[in-house]
Amino acid sequence: MAVVDLPQWLALAPALILAVTALVLFAFDSINPGSTNRTVLSGTTVIGALASLAVAVWYAAAGVGATGIENYGVIDIMGGQFVVDQLALFFMIVVAIVTALVAVASHDYLRDHAYQAEYYSLIVLAATGMSMMAASNSLVTAFIALELTSLPSYALVAILKDNRGSVEAGLKYFLIGALSSAIFVYGVSLVYGATGSLQLESIAANLGAAGELGGLLGLGILMLIGGVAFKTASVPFHFWAPEAYEGAPAPVSAFLSSASKAAGFVLAFRVFTTAFPLEATTAVIGVDWTWAFVILAIVTMTLGNFAAATQENVKRMLAYSSIGHAGYVLIGLAALSTPSGDLVMGAAMIHLFVYGFMNTGAFLFVGLAEHWGVGRTFEDYNGLATQAPVACAAMAVFMFSLAGIPPFGGFGSKYLLFIHTIEAAAENTALLAAAAALVINSTLSLYYYSRLVKALWIEEPLRERDALAKPTGLYAAIVAAAVVTAVILAAFGPITDVATEAAATVVG
């Protein structure tokens, strides 16, 4: 494919477009503080996110970052501090999609909110950090991108300043986030002390020189796992998620549980495949680090699903459910010790892609219910389908897809993850336990997901409700996410190829 030669830094265009969009939003508010039309603000955010999405898709289709392409290849930027490959572009696409959906929905959800420009600016700045995290190829740039993601996220959770739950959730999120950042950066310092490097390939090249510092390196790796576990809401760093998701505005909960989780996982995928190749790392520290992810995966998916099954609050149920899904994706890291590691990791990436639609849509439906003034318990949702059949049909699609019921996207991603995990178990029998936990927990999840569908469609309402408004933005985002969730299985072939190729670029 003939292309025009462009400066290498333009390979980061998907992230740079988001950064420029944030600056434009700041400029709007500076020129006319507090008075900028909310349609202009949300529209600018959507345009920026869609432009980022279009460029990322264009780059991926053109072969930017792909191996074996004559015109392109993996692009190193700033001396290898950033790298743009198929893995980075895949997750930039996920972040841009979720950002666009959240921005569309926020137009109605935050109709009367006083801090419109600040809200959209923070959303886009966090998305910028997530996109930069996908391309980070150094522990320093990864940490900076992580903080660029985290700091706006703390403010977003607490942005409803007159809502005690929102402010309290933001404070808890900030305190736990500060602790996790300290753990992560201390891990970075230990890895640097043992290897003398921060750039990921250089760390891998210098592992043999760690010598007697193997224990120091092992502790540093353990702390990096802790930092990643926080960002992905994995056990035992999951405590912030139910509180933050419940207290935050529903679109923010959707954004954090989908885009932020994807960003945390792409960081883990890149760091642990590039900086810590298994054989060389095991020779130095004496431990196979994939065992940590086997245990994390099983414990996280089990705790998340069992906790979700006991909830009466729909938003908290979805929060614990998101913890369970983090456990499913962790299998992609647990299987890296096997020859099929790239296939399992690719399946985990596909699950994150589908999850970006079905989980975002589910939280946006909760936002729609909050917009209507419906309560937060399962009983409060009783009979909503009689007044809002389209939105409730979309929610049924999300619930069944999250549970892994065919013919929805969640079934396809879980099926691929299960099949490839079973194949990988031929080399690592511990993965049989992970595959069994995936099936058992998915079966359990059908209970609480179908419970909500039953409330919406079968149960009688506890009280009479006034006519429900049909806010355009929320409805558009929910329906769009539902349509993709319902039909994406038909396009699983190409998506699987893209994800597997992206995984193969980092899995040796």
Side-chain angles (χ1 to χ4, degrees):
M1 182 181 294
V3 292
V4 178
D5 243 353
L6 295 174
Q8 284 192 328
W9 61 266
L10 275 181
L12 283 173
L16 297 177
I17 289 171
L18 292 172
V20 170
T21 303
L23 295 176
V24 170
L25 291 167
F26 278 130
F28 284 161
D29 194 48
S30 299
I31 295 169
N32 195 13
S35 302
T36 308
N37 187 290
R38 65 189 176 90
T39 303
V40 172
L41 295 171
S42 62
T44 301
T45 305
V46 173
I47 290 170
L50 292 180
S52 175
L53 173 62
V55 172
V57 170
W58 173 38
Y59 280 2
V64 173
T67 55
I69 302 294
E70 182 179 354
N71 295 319
Y72 295 111
V74 176
I75 299 177
D76 291 326
I77 301 164
M78 294 176 60
Q81 297 300 304
F82 293 99
V83 60
V84 176
D85 54 12
Q86 292 286 297
L87 182 72
L89 292 172
F90 184 91
F91 281 94
M92 287 178 182
I93 290 170
V94 174
V95 170
I97 289 170
V98 175
T99 303
L101 289 172
V102 168
V104 170
S106 298
H107 178 265
D108 295 316
Y109 186 90
L110 296 173
R111 178 185 299 273
D112 301 318
H113 187 57
Y115 301 99
Q116 299 272 340
E118 292 86 347
Y119 171 83
Y120 288 108
S121 298
L122 290 168
I123 286 284
V124 179
L125 282 174
T128 303
M130 294 170 194
S131 293
M132 297 301 286
M133 209 185 304
S136 293
N137 197 42
S138 160
L139 292 180
V140 168
T141 53
F143 178 71
I144 293 171
L146 184 67
E147 291 305 291
L148 179 57
T149 299
S150 298
L151 293 175
S153 299
Y154 304 147
L156 285 168
V157 170
I159 202 163
L160 301 179
K161 297 177 69 174
D162 296 328
N163 185 307
R164 180 178 176 180
S166 176
V167 175
E168 181 180 336
L171 179 60
K172 290 178 180 177
Y173 186 24
F174 170 72
L175 292 174
I176 299 175
L179 173 63
S180 74
S181 293
I183 291 172
F184 184 85
V185 78
Y186 193 43
V188 170
S189 69
L190 293 180
V191 171
Y192 178 73
T195 64
S197 302
L198 290 169
Q199 203 263 351
L200 301 186
E201 283 89 355
S202 297
I203 292 173
N206 293 336
L207 285 175
E212 296 180 355
L213 298 177
L216 191 70
L217 177 64
L219 182 59
I221 292 173
L222 187 62
M223 288 187 164
L224 292 181
I225 292 174
V228 168
F230 166 79
K231 184 51 62 179
T232 58
S234 302
V235 174
F237 294 92
H238 66 287
F239 296 106
W240 63 272
E243 303 295 332
Y245 295 172
E246 182 182 13
V252 172
S253 301
F255 184 64
L256 295 179
S257 63
S258 299
S260 183
K261 190 182 297 291
F265 274 113
V266 67
L267 176 61
F269 291 154
R270 190 177 299 284
V271 168
F272 287 96
T273 55
T274 304
F276 306 114
L278 194 60
E279 290 186 11
T281 306
T282 303
V284 175
I285 67 175
V287 179
D288 181 345
W289 54 255
T290 60
W291 276 96
F293 289 111
V294 172
I295 296 168
L296 272 180
I298 295 172
V299 173
T300 299
M301 70 175 80
T302 303
L303 188 148
N305 280 287
F306 272 87
T310 65
Q311 300 302 310
E312 292 297 327
N313 183 304
V314 173
K315 216 172 183 183
R316 289 183 72 87
M317 177 274 285
L318 289 175
Y320 279 109
S321 160
S322 75
I323 294 171
H325 282 271
Y328 304 150
V329 179
L330 282 168
I331 298 175
L333 287 161
L336 287 175
S337 61
T338 70
S340 303
D342 58 335
L343 296 177
V344 182
M345 182 173 149
M349 290 167 56
I350 294 169
H351 189 67
L352 285 170
F353 181 79
V354 177
Y355 185 76
F357 290 100
M358 57 190 181
N359 185 70
T360 301
F363 269 106
L364 293 182
F365 180 88
V366 173
L368 180 61
E370 291 176 355
H371 181 81
W372 287 330
V374 174
R376 294 192 170 189
T377 69
F378 282 87
E379 288 186 345
D380 293 323
Y381 283 63
N382 285 359
L384 273 178
T386 59
Q387 292 178 280
V390 174
C392 290
M395 189 59 166
V397 170
F398 300 140
M399 293 297 97
F400 289 135
S401 184
L402 285 165
I405 301 300
F408 305 114
F411 164 76
S413 60
K414 284 187 178 182
Y415 175 77
L416 286 177
L417 190 56
F418 175 75
I419 291 299
H420 291 314
T421 303
I422 291 296
E423 292 173 357
E427 299 292 332
N428 183 352
T429 53
L431 291 174
L432 282 174
L438 168 62
V439 173
I440 293 169
N441 283 289
S442 293
T443 304
L444 172 62
S445 71
L446 182 59
Y447 159 70
Y448 57 81
Y449 288 135
S450 61
R451 183 183 172 197
L452 182 55
V453 176
K454 178 173 176 280
L456 292 172
W457 285 93
I458 298 175
E459 300 290 352
E460 294 294 327
L462 296 179
R463 64 189 69 84
E464 290 189 9
R465 302 187 184 94
D466 295 332
L468 302 179
K470 305 294 190 294
T472 306
L474 275 164
Y475 256 75
I478 291 169
V479 171
V483 169
V484 174
T485 302
V487 305
I488 197 171
L489 202 59
F492 247 54
I495 295 173
T496 301
D497 293 342
V498 171
T500 303
E501 182 181 345
T505 61
V506 292
V507 178

